[in-house]
mmCIF file with all atom_site columns, all heavy atoms in Angstrom:
data_model
loop_
_atom_site.group_PDB
_atom_site.id
_atom_site.type_symbol
_atom_site.label_atom_id
_atom_site.label_alt_id
_atom_site.label_comp_id
_atom_site.label_asym_id
_atom_site.label_entity_id
_atom_site.label_seq_id
_atom_site.pdbx_PDB_ins_code
_atom_site.Cartn_x
_atom_site.Cartn_y
_atom_site.Cartn_z
_atom_site.occupancy
_atom_site.B_iso_or_equiv
_atom_site.pdbx_formal_charge
_atom_site.auth_seq_id
_atom_site.auth_comp_id
_atom_site.auth_asym_id
_atom_site.auth_atom_id
_atom_site.pdbx_PDB_model_num
ATOM 1   N N   . THR H 1 521 ? -117.295 -16.087 -128.888 1.00 0.00 ? 521 THR H N   1
ATOM 2   C CA  . THR H 1 521 ? -117.517 -15.295 -130.104 1.00 0.00 ? 521 THR H CA  1
ATOM 3   C C   . THR H 1 521 ? -118.982 -15.363 -130.500 1.00 0.00 ? 521 THR H C   1
ATOM 4   O O   . THR H 1 521 ? -119.814 -14.646 -130.008 1.00 0.00 ? 521 THR H O   1
ATOM 5   C CB  . THR H 1 521 ? -116.585 -15.762 -131.221 1.00 0.00 ? 521 THR H CB  1
ATOM 6   O OG1 . THR H 1 521 ? -116.762 -17.168 -131.427 1.00 0.00 ? 521 THR H OG1 1
ATOM 7   C CG2 . THR H 1 521 ? -115.134 -15.484 -130.914 1.00 0.00 ? 521 THR H CG2 1
ATOM 8   N N   . MET H 1 522 ? -119.275 -16.316 -131.382 1.00 0.00 ? 522 MET H N   1
ATOM 9   C CA  . MET H 1 522 ? -120.591 -16.367 -132.015 1.00 0.00 ? 522 MET H CA  1
ATOM 10  C C   . MET H 1 522 ? -121.752 -16.561 -131.010 1.00 0.00 ? 522 MET H C   1
ATOM 11  O O   . MET H 1 522 ? -122.800 -15.937 -131.159 1.00 0.00 ? 522 MET H O   1
ATOM 12  C CB  . MET H 1 522 ? -120.595 -17.529 -133.050 1.00 0.00 ? 522 MET H CB  1
ATOM 13  C CG  . MET H 1 522 ? -121.614 -17.341 -134.137 1.00 0.00 ? 522 MET H CG  1
ATOM 14  S SD  . MET H 1 522 ? -121.532 -15.735 -134.937 1.00 0.00 ? 522 MET H SD  1
ATOM 15  C CE  . MET H 1 522 ? -123.268 -15.465 -135.242 1.00 0.00 ? 522 MET H CE  1
ATOM 16  N N   . ASN H 1 523 ? -121.521 -17.353 -129.973 1.00 0.00 ? 523 ASN H N   1
ATOM 17  C CA  . ASN H 1 523 ? -122.604 -17.568 -129.033 1.00 0.00 ? 523 ASN H CA  1
ATOM 18  C C   . ASN H 1 523 ? -122.948 -16.277 -128.291 1.00 0.00 ? 523 ASN H C   1
ATOM 19  O O   . ASN H 1 523 ? -124.115 -15.930 -128.107 1.00 0.00 ? 523 ASN H O   1
ATOM 20  C CB  . ASN H 1 523 ? -122.238 -18.643 -128.004 1.00 0.00 ? 523 ASN H CB  1
ATOM 21  C CG  . ASN H 1 523 ? -122.379 -20.030 -128.590 1.00 0.00 ? 523 ASN H CG  1
ATOM 22  O OD1 . ASN H 1 523 ? -122.498 -20.188 -129.830 1.00 0.00 ? 523 ASN H OD1 1
ATOM 23  N ND2 . ASN H 1 523 ? -122.369 -21.061 -127.759 1.00 0.00 ? 523 ASN H ND2 1
ATOM 24  N N   . ASN H 1 524 ? -121.885 -15.550 -127.889 1.00 0.00 ? 524 ASN H N   1
ATOM 25  C CA  . ASN H 1 524 ? -122.162 -14.239 -127.249 1.00 0.00 ? 524 ASN H CA  1
ATOM 26  C C   . ASN H 1 524 ? -122.802 -13.270 -128.226 1.00 0.00 ? 524 ASN H C   1
ATOM 27  O O   . ASN H 1 524 ? -123.638 -12.479 -127.854 1.00 0.00 ? 524 ASN H O   1
ATOM 28  C CB  . ASN H 1 524 ? -120.876 -13.649 -126.681 1.00 0.00 ? 524 ASN H CB  1
ATOM 29  C CG  . ASN H 1 524 ? -120.635 -14.122 -125.261 1.00 0.00 ? 524 ASN H CG  1
ATOM 30  O OD1 . ASN H 1 524 ? -121.585 -14.491 -124.548 1.00 0.00 ? 524 ASN H OD1 1
ATOM 31  N ND2 . ASN H 1 524 ? -119.401 -14.094 -124.835 1.00 0.00 ? 524 ASN H ND2 1
ATOM 32  N N   . ALA H 1 525 ? -122.380 -13.332 -129.498 1.00 0.00 ? 525 ALA H N   1
ATOM 33  C CA  . ALA H 1 525 ? -122.996 -12.457 -130.491 1.00 0.00 ? 525 ALA H CA  1
ATOM 34  C C   . ALA H 1 525 ? -124.491 -12.660 -130.538 1.00 0.00 ? 525 ALA H C   1
ATOM 35  O O   . ALA H 1 525 ? -125.270 -11.719 -130.571 1.00 0.00 ? 525 ALA H O   1
ATOM 36  C CB  . ALA H 1 525 ? -122.354 -12.665 -131.839 1.00 0.00 ? 525 ALA H CB  1
ATOM 37  N N   . TYR H 1 526 ? -124.890 -13.939 -130.476 1.00 0.00 ? 526 TYR H N   1
ATOM 38  C CA  . TYR H 1 526 ? -126.319 -14.230 -130.498 1.00 0.00 ? 526 TYR H CA  1
ATOM 39  C C   . TYR H 1 526 ? -126.990 -13.686 -129.222 1.00 0.00 ? 526 TYR H C   1
ATOM 40  O O   . TYR H 1 526 ? -128.032 -12.967 -129.302 1.00 0.00 ? 526 TYR H O   1
ATOM 41  C CB  . TYR H 1 526 ? -126.577 -15.731 -130.606 1.00 0.00 ? 526 TYR H CB  1
ATOM 42  C CG  . TYR H 1 526 ? -128.047 -16.058 -130.572 1.00 0.00 ? 526 TYR H CG  1
ATOM 43  C CD1 . TYR H 1 526 ? -128.864 -15.879 -131.707 1.00 0.00 ? 526 TYR H CD1 1
ATOM 44  C CD2 . TYR H 1 526 ? -128.664 -16.453 -129.384 1.00 0.00 ? 526 TYR H CD2 1
ATOM 45  C CE1 . TYR H 1 526 ? -130.211 -16.117 -131.660 1.00 0.00 ? 526 TYR H CE1 1
ATOM 46  C CE2 . TYR H 1 526 ? -130.027 -16.700 -129.315 1.00 0.00 ? 526 TYR H CE2 1
ATOM 47  C CZ  . TYR H 1 526 ? -130.812 -16.519 -130.459 1.00 0.00 ? 526 TYR H CZ  1
ATOM 48  O OH  . TYR H 1 526 ? -132.165 -16.736 -130.384 1.00 0.00 ? 526 TYR H OH  1
ATOM 49  N N   . ILE H 1 527 ? -126.420 -13.999 -128.079 1.00 0.00 ? 527 ILE H N   1
ATOM 50  C CA  . ILE H 1 527 ? -127.047 -13.585 -126.799 1.00 0.00 ? 527 ILE H CA  1
ATOM 51  C C   . ILE H 1 527 ? -127.142 -12.073 -126.690 1.00 0.00 ? 527 ILE H C   1
ATOM 52  O O   . ILE H 1 527 ? -128.101 -11.530 -126.126 1.00 0.00 ? 527 ILE H O   1
ATOM 53  C CB  . ILE H 1 527 ? -126.235 -14.194 -125.608 1.00 0.00 ? 527 ILE H CB  1
ATOM 54  C CG1 . ILE H 1 527 ? -126.339 -15.728 -125.628 1.00 0.00 ? 527 ILE H CG1 1
ATOM 55  C CG2 . ILE H 1 527 ? -126.748 -13.648 -124.270 1.00 0.00 ? 527 ILE H CG2 1
ATOM 56  C CD1 . ILE H 1 527 ? -125.447 -16.421 -124.628 1.00 0.00 ? 527 ILE H CD1 1
ATOM 57  N N   . LEU H 1 528 ? -126.162 -11.363 -127.285 1.00 0.00 ? 528 LEU H N   1
ATOM 58  C CA  . LEU H 1 528 ? -126.157 -9.879  -127.195 1.00 0.00 ? 528 LEU H CA  1
ATOM 59  C C   . LEU H 1 528 ? -126.785 -9.208  -128.394 1.00 0.00 ? 528 LEU H C   1
ATOM 60  O O   . LEU H 1 528 ? -126.597 -8.013  -128.622 1.00 0.00 ? 528 LEU H O   1
ATOM 61  C CB  . LEU H 1 528 ? -124.700 -9.391  -126.985 1.00 0.00 ? 528 LEU H CB  1
ATOM 62  C CG  . LEU H 1 528 ? -123.958 -10.009 -125.776 1.00 0.00 ? 528 LEU H CG  1
ATOM 63  C CD1 . LEU H 1 528 ? -122.563 -9.396  -125.663 1.00 0.00 ? 528 LEU H CD1 1
ATOM 64  C CD2 . LEU H 1 528 ? -124.713 -9.803  -124.489 1.00 0.00 ? 528 LEU H CD2 1
ATOM 65  N N   . PHE H 1 529 ? -127.498 -9.967  -129.240 1.00 0.00 ? 529 PHE H N   1
ATOM 66  C CA  . PHE H 1 529 ? -128.187 -9.425  -130.424 1.00 0.00 ? 529 PHE H CA  1
ATOM 67  C C   . PHE H 1 529 ? -127.202 -8.790  -131.407 1.00 0.00 ? 529 PHE H C   1
ATOM 68  O O   . PHE H 1 529 ? -127.527 -7.805  -132.043 1.00 0.00 ? 529 PHE H O   1
ATOM 69  C CB  . PHE H 1 529 ? -129.232 -8.367  -130.002 1.00 0.00 ? 529 PHE H CB  1
ATOM 70  C CG  . PHE H 1 529 ? -130.315 -8.864  -129.105 1.00 0.00 ? 529 PHE H CG  1
ATOM 71  C CD1 . PHE H 1 529 ? -130.173 -8.954  -127.740 1.00 0.00 ? 529 PHE H CD1 1
ATOM 72  C CD2 . PHE H 1 529 ? -131.539 -9.281  -129.655 1.00 0.00 ? 529 PHE H CD2 1
ATOM 73  C CE1 . PHE H 1 529 ? -131.187 -9.456  -126.915 1.00 0.00 ? 529 PHE H CE1 1
ATOM 74  C CE2 . PHE H 1 529 ? -132.572 -9.781  -128.842 1.00 0.00 ? 529 PHE H CE2 1
ATOM 75  C CZ  . PHE H 1 529 ? -132.392 -9.835  -127.475 1.00 0.00 ? 529 PHE H CZ  1
ATOM 76  N N   . LEU H 1 530 ? -126.002 -9.325  -131.482 1.00 0.00 ? 530 LEU H N   1
ATOM 77  C CA  . LEU H 1 530 ? -125.010 -8.769  -132.379 1.00 0.00 ? 530 LEU H CA  1
ATOM 78  C C   . LEU H 1 530 ? -124.643 -9.723  -133.502 1.00 0.00 ? 530 LEU H C   1
ATOM 79  O O   . LEU H 1 530 ? -123.733 -9.484  -134.298 1.00 0.00 ? 530 LEU H O   1
ATOM 80  C CB  . LEU H 1 530 ? -123.715 -8.430  -131.603 1.00 0.00 ? 530 LEU H CB  1
ATOM 81  C CG  . LEU H 1 530 ? -123.748 -7.236  -130.679 1.00 0.00 ? 530 LEU H CG  1
ATOM 82  C CD1 . LEU H 1 530 ? -122.486 -7.156  -129.797 1.00 0.00 ? 530 LEU H CD1 1
ATOM 83  C CD2 . LEU H 1 530 ? -123.879 -5.941  -131.500 1.00 0.00 ? 530 LEU H CD2 1
ATOM 84  N N   . ASP H 1 531 ? -125.370 -10.854 -133.602 1.00 0.00 ? 531 ASP H N   1
ATOM 85  C CA  . ASP H 1 531 ? -125.005 -11.917 -134.524 1.00 0.00 ? 531 ASP H CA  1
ATOM 86  C C   . ASP H 1 531 ? -125.078 -11.531 -136.002 1.00 0.00 ? 531 ASP H C   1
ATOM 87  O O   . ASP H 1 531 ? -124.385 -12.122 -136.814 1.00 0.00 ? 531 ASP H O   1
ATOM 88  C CB  . ASP H 1 531 ? -125.840 -13.177 -134.250 1.00 0.00 ? 531 ASP H CB  1
ATOM 89  C CG  . ASP H 1 531 ? -127.336 -12.883 -134.172 1.00 0.00 ? 531 ASP H CG  1
ATOM 90  O OD1 . ASP H 1 531 ? -127.692 -11.902 -133.521 1.00 0.00 ? 531 ASP H OD1 1
ATOM 91  O OD2 . ASP H 1 531 ? -128.113 -13.618 -134.766 1.00 0.00 ? 531 ASP H OD2 1
ATOM 92  N N   . LYS H 1 532 ? -125.902 -10.523 -136.358 1.00 0.00 ? 532 LYS H N   1
ATOM 93  C CA  . LYS H 1 532 ? -125.951 -10.105 -137.747 1.00 0.00 ? 532 LYS H CA  1
ATOM 94  C C   . LYS H 1 532 ? -124.668 -9.382  -138.132 1.00 0.00 ? 532 LYS H C   1
ATOM 95  O O   . LYS H 1 532 ? -124.306 -9.315  -139.281 1.00 0.00 ? 532 LYS H O   1
ATOM 96  C CB  . LYS H 1 532 ? -127.107 -9.128  -137.949 1.00 0.00 ? 532 LYS H CB  1
ATOM 97  C CG  . LYS H 1 532 ? -128.466 -9.749  -137.919 1.00 0.00 ? 532 LYS H CG  1
ATOM 98  C CD  . LYS H 1 532 ? -129.481 -8.640  -138.244 1.00 0.00 ? 532 LYS H CD  1
ATOM 99  C CE  . LYS H 1 532 ? -130.848 -8.889  -137.665 1.00 0.00 ? 532 LYS H CE  1
ATOM 100 N NZ  . LYS H 1 532 ? -131.629 -7.635  -137.639 1.00 0.00 ? 532 LYS H NZ  1
ATOM 101 N N   . GLU H 1 533 ? -124.032 -8.743  -137.145 1.00 0.00 ? 533 GLU H N   1
ATOM 102 C CA  . GLU H 1 533 ? -122.935 -7.823  -137.441 1.00 0.00 ? 533 GLU H CA  1
ATOM 103 C C   . GLU H 1 533 ? -121.535 -8.395  -137.092 1.00 0.00 ? 533 GLU H C   1
ATOM 104 O O   . GLU H 1 533 ? -120.569 -8.089  -137.760 1.00 0.00 ? 533 GLU H O   1
ATOM 105 C CB  . GLU H 1 533 ? -123.108 -6.514  -136.646 1.00 0.00 ? 533 GLU H CB  1
ATOM 106 C CG  . GLU H 1 533 ? -124.288 -5.684  -137.152 1.00 0.00 ? 533 GLU H CG  1
ATOM 107 C CD  . GLU H 1 533 ? -123.987 -4.967  -138.451 1.00 0.00 ? 533 GLU H CD  1
ATOM 108 O OE1 . GLU H 1 533 ? -123.076 -5.360  -139.172 1.00 0.00 ? 533 GLU H OE1 1
ATOM 109 O OE2 . GLU H 1 533 ? -124.670 -3.985  -138.720 1.00 0.00 ? 533 GLU H OE2 1
ATOM 110 N N   . VAL H 1 534 ? -121.437 -9.158  -136.016 1.00 0.00 ? 534 VAL H N   1
ATOM 111 C CA  . VAL H 1 534 ? -120.119 -9.653  -135.590 1.00 0.00 ? 534 VAL H CA  1
ATOM 112 C C   . VAL H 1 534 ? -120.225 -11.088 -135.075 1.00 0.00 ? 534 VAL H C   1
ATOM 113 O O   . VAL H 1 534 ? -121.239 -11.747 -135.251 1.00 0.00 ? 534 VAL H O   1
ATOM 114 C CB  . VAL H 1 534 ? -119.487 -8.752  -134.515 1.00 0.00 ? 534 VAL H CB  1
ATOM 115 C CG1 . VAL H 1 534 ? -119.113 -7.392  -135.083 1.00 0.00 ? 534 VAL H CG1 1
ATOM 116 C CG2 . VAL H 1 534 ? -120.386 -8.582  -133.287 1.00 0.00 ? 534 VAL H CG2 1
ATOM 117 N N   . GLY H 1 535 ? -119.154 -11.597 -134.468 1.00 0.00 ? 535 GLY H N   1
ATOM 118 C CA  . GLY H 1 535 ? -119.169 -12.946 -133.910 1.00 0.00 ? 535 GLY H CA  1
ATOM 119 C C   . GLY H 1 535 ? -118.506 -13.970 -134.792 1.00 0.00 ? 535 GLY H C   1
ATOM 120 O O   . GLY H 1 535 ? -118.053 -15.014 -134.349 1.00 0.00 ? 535 GLY H O   1
#
Side-chain angles (χ1 to χ4, degrees):
T521 55
M522 204 53 215
N523 282 15
N524 271 336
Y526 177 79
I527 295 172
L528 305 183
F529 299 85
L530 286 171
D531 49 316
K532 287 184 205 164
E533 291 284 21
V534 292

